[in-house]
Amino acid sequence: MTGSSSQQRAGHSTKSSRPAVGVNRWVWVTLVVLILAVAIVFGLRVYNLNSYTIPSVSMQPGLQVGDRIEIDPQAYDTAAPQRGDVVVFDGAGSFSPYESETSFKRIRDSALSVLGITPEQHAVVKRVIGVAGDTVECCDDSGRLVINDEPLEEPYVAEPERPASSSPFKVEVPDNRVFLLGDNRYDSIDSRSLLGAPGGGMIQISKIYGPVKTIR
């Protein structure tokens, strides 16, 4: 009886240990899956957070349709935008028309925001031409832009043989704003298109996400 009782206890001990092994295995599998999920989300955030795809020809020849650009979001924390900077900014309410949101779009963006990769719906890329205090005018007898009575040389424009703008204008850039133009002047919606609108087509510095630093 003693031997039988010992065998029963030993057998019971062996059977009770088996579920514990299975539980431990599932714990490790769950941890590995969670680590992989975090790594994937982090990778997506790094890739998407400060990256944008060029959708139009307005910045040709420097930026082509489909180019992937990356910005420096901290560049203007301690410095102001400079003339010639190519920047990405929030065009909502100015460059981008109002767009109503569908239920699907709201649900999608809410889900992506949990991962920290919500797409910027109104991101626009243009070149800074005038900064606070500048007077920007078009054009001189040679078809060049004039900034503070000095002609501006623009080797980056798409058609350097043509005037810098098809329509004349003269603006003064107020504090905390910039005047922006596309490099492809004859196929670009930019500050010239909004001269008669509130703000005169000049964007608040606080709406700039950052300057372009790399092109992929």
Side-chain angles (χ1 to χ4, degrees):
M1 291 293 294
T2 301
S4 175
S5 177
S6 297
Q7 289 174 357
Q8 288 177 357
R9 284 196 298 272
H12 177 73
S13 176
T14 301
K15 289 179 181 179
S16 64
S17 66
R18 288 174 183 172
V21 172
V23 170
N24 288 336
R25 183 180 296 117
W26 278 110
V27 168
W28 280 109
V29 169
T30 302
L31 285 173
V32 170
V33 170
L34 287 174
I35 291 170
L36 287 174
V38 170
I40 291 170
V41 169
F42 180 77
L44 287 172
R45 290 190 65 183
V46 169
Y47 184 78
N48 286 280
L49 191 59
N50 298 313
S51 298
Y52 303 85
T53 301
I54 301 300
S56 73
V57 300
S58 69
M59 287 299 291
Q60 288 182 349
L63 297 176
Q64 301 292 326
V65 175
D67 281 352
R68 189 77 175 173
I69 58 174
E70 186 176 350
I71 65 167
D72 180 358
Q74 280 83 45
Y76 299 140
D77 288 350
T78 57
Q82 302 296 309
R83 297 187 204 102
D85 289 356
V86 176
V87 300
V88 176
F89 61 95
D90 179 7
S94 56
F95 283 64
S96 300
Y98 174 78
E99 295 179 359
S100 59
E101 292 190 341
T102 63
S103 297
F104 172 78
K105 181 176 180 296
R106 285 194 294 269
I107 294 172
R108 182 203 66 182
D109 289 352
S110 296
L112 290 176
S113 67
V114 174
L115 302 179
I117 55 175
T118 306
E120 298 289 355
Q121 299 299 320
H122 303 288
V124 181
V125 58
K126 301 293 177 187
R127 186 180 298 274
V128 176
I129 298 298
V131 297
D134 284 345
T135 297
V136 184
E137 185 175 2
C138 181
C139 294
D140 68 5
D141 294 338
S142 299
R144 296 172 297 183
L145 293 182
V146 178
I147 299 180
N148 304 326
D149 298 324
E150 293 291 333
L152 179 64
E153 299 296 336
E154 299 186 280
Y156 43 76
V157 297
E159 300 176 88
E161 71 281 359
R162 301 179 70 179
S165 176
S166 59
S167 55
F169 62 85
K170 184 176 182 178
V171 297
E172 294 183 5
V173 185
D175 289 341
N176 299 316
R177 290 181 181 264
V178 292
F179 185 81
L180 301 153
L181 296 178
D183 289 351
N184 190 0
R185 297 288 162 76
Y186 287 83
D187 198 350
S188 173
I189 296 175
D190 45 42
S191 289
R192 296 170 298 171
S193 307
L194 301 166
L195 291 177
M202 285 166 274
I203 299 300
Q204 297 175 10
I205 292 177
S206 61
K207 299 188 76 172
I208 298 176
Y209 297 135
V212 175
K213 67 176 182 178
T214 57
I215 305 172
R216 300 177 187 172

